[in-house]
Amino acid sequence: PQCAGPLELHAPDQTERVGCPHCAALLNCDHGKLEYLQTLKAKRRKPYIPLGKVGHLDGEEFTVIGFMERFATYEGTLYPWTEYLLHSSKVGFRWLVHNQKHWSYAEPVSLNDVTLTYGSAIYKGDHFAVYDRGDATVRYVLGEFYWKVLVGEKVSTIDYINPPWMISSERAETASSKELNVSLGTYLTVEEVEQAFVVENLPRPWGVGVIQPKPKFTDVLKLWGIFLLVMFGLFLVFNMTISAKTDGAFFFAMLALISVVPIGALFYGHNFEVQRWRDSDYSPYATDEE
């Protein structure tokens, strides 16, 4: 209604608001009937995954129908992230979250399946530690949304983590109503997102993601253990067959040298966790950072 540009609605019976990709107008939607509300003044954002793109996640086919930028403010610093609204005719709505070049797939959680406390959450027997609390504010919208979203809309959020998963609660309150929504986020690699939606050249992350899985070093430790046993066996055989007074310093020097590998792996794993919690007020490694 504002610019006469063509719009294709993928879920017209469920869509409440539409961000026009042509003129940045925010439109009210009543079963496919569009009404102009306002023109968005925020800087336009281009989605890495275009609206209308079809992809496959969690065994389902999804269409990208909406794109949103939100932000939180902490000590005067703005922390933005983007979210892609996915729609499937079978399972309904899901989210693809892009934060600091890391991706996660979010799905709704029944309130009957989760227990939320001040410092932790329990979901189906798994424990999640609180990572942060704050307010999430909408800054930009594009495409279709299943609620009456507005720029400036704000909800109170709490994130709990148990990598590679995150439990997120969002509480919205008005003078007449209160609403609580809980979702489960699962970490996705950039390669998984590219393969799911057949896109290329997505930005690669540098830092550690909040729910990025910790590298596995079990194979390194197993190999080091095998090497230890072999070296000890050779040391015994060498002493018994050649000389009872043979100096074993060489073997122990080799053991000390190869020990650098598992020790380095353990140090890297510890630092990985410290970096994961770097932006959290609830970091269990706070004393280490000091």
Side-chain angles (χ1 to χ4, degrees), residues 205-273:
W206 287 96
V208 177
V210 174
I211 55 172
Q212 182 178 357
K214 184 178 179 180
K216 296 181 179 180
F217 299 107
T218 54
D219 292 339
V220 174
L221 299 177
K222 287 179 181 178
L223 289 175
W224 185 80
I226 293 173
F227 178 82
L228 174 64
L229 292 175
V230 171
M231 290 296 292
F232 184 70
L234 289 175
F235 173 69
L236 293 178
V237 172
F238 187 80
N239 275 309
M240 289 188 297
T241 58
I242 299 180
S243 172
K245 297 181 180 181
T246 301
D247 184 7
F250 170 75
F251 292 97
F252 287 107
M254 289 297 295
L255 286 175
L257 181 62
I258 202 67
S259 294
V260 172
V261 175
I263 292 173
L266 292 174
F267 175 78
Y268 180 81
H270 174 77
N271 186 66
F272 191 93
E273 290 300 317

Side-chain angles (χ1 to χ4, degrees), residues 6-24:
L7 286 177
E8 179 184 2
L9 299 184
H10 299 277
D13 292 338
Q14 297 169 284
T15 296
E16 297 282 348
R17 290 283 160 85
V18 179
C20 178
H22 307 291
C23 66

Side-chain angles (χ1 to χ4, degrees), residues 45 132 140 173 257:
R45 302 289 187 268
D132 63 21
Y140 183 76
E173 295 188 17
L257 181 62

Side-chain angles (χ1 to χ4, degrees), residues 140-153:
Y140 183 76
V141 294
L142 184 68
E144 300 171 58
F145 296 89
Y146 57 82
W147 78 98
K148 296 184 181 297
V149 62
L150 287 173
V151 171
E153 177 181 284

Side-chain angles (χ1 to χ4, degrees), residues 60-228:
E60 298 292 340
E61 182 177 276
F62 290 100
T63 302
V64 180
I65 68 170
F67 172 77
M68 169 188 295
E69 183 183 58
R70 299 205 288 178
F71 69 89
T73 304
Y74 181 72
E75 294 184 347
T77 302
L78 204 70
Y79 295 91
W81 69 92
T82 57
E83 302 178 0
Y84 296 77
L85 179 59
L86 312 177
H87 178 259
S88 165
S89 58
K90 293 183 179 180
V91 300
F93 298 102
R94 298 291 188 269
W95 289 94
L96 194 61
V97 182
H98 188 213
N99 189 4
Q100 296 182 338
K101 299 182 181 179
H102 292 272
W103 296 83
S104 61
Y105 168 74
E107 54 190 316
V109 166
S110 170
L111 297 180
N112 296 325
D113 293 333
V114 63
T115 301
L116 305 177
T117 66
Y118 181 83
S120 65
I122 298 176
Y123 174 66
K124 293 186 175 180
D126 291 325
H127 180 270
F128 292 71
V130 63
Y131 185 85
D132 63 21
R133 300 167 179 272
D135 295 323
T137 304
V138 176
R139 184 160 69 171
Y140 183 76
V141 294
L142 184 68
E144 300 171 58
F145 296 89
Y146 57 82
W147 78 98
K148 296 184 181 297
V149 62
L150 287 173
V151 171
E153 177 181 284
K154 183 181 295 187
V155 295
S156 298
T157 63
I158 309 177
D159 293 327
Y160 308 84
I161 67 171
N162 180 1
W165 302 289
M166 172 186 286
I167 290 289
S168 298
S169 71
E170 297 189 357
R171 186 181 300 273
E173 295 188 17
T174 65
S176 58
S177 66
K178 296 181 180 180
E179 184 178 3
L180 175 65
N181 293 302
V182 180
S183 63
L184 173 68
T186 302
Y187 187 84
L188 295 175
T189 65
V190 175
E191 292 75 16
E192 287 175 321
V193 175
E194 288 180 331
Q195 182 177 3
F197 289 92
V198 195
V199 293
E200 298 179 343
N201 301 321
L202 292 179
R204 264 50 183 176
W206 287 96
V208 177
V210 174
I211 55 172
Q212 182 178 357
K214 184 178 179 180
K216 296 181 179 180
F217 299 107
T218 54
D219 292 339
V220 174
L221 299 177
K222 287 179 181 178
L223 289 175
W224 185 80
I226 293 173
F227 178 82
L228 174 64

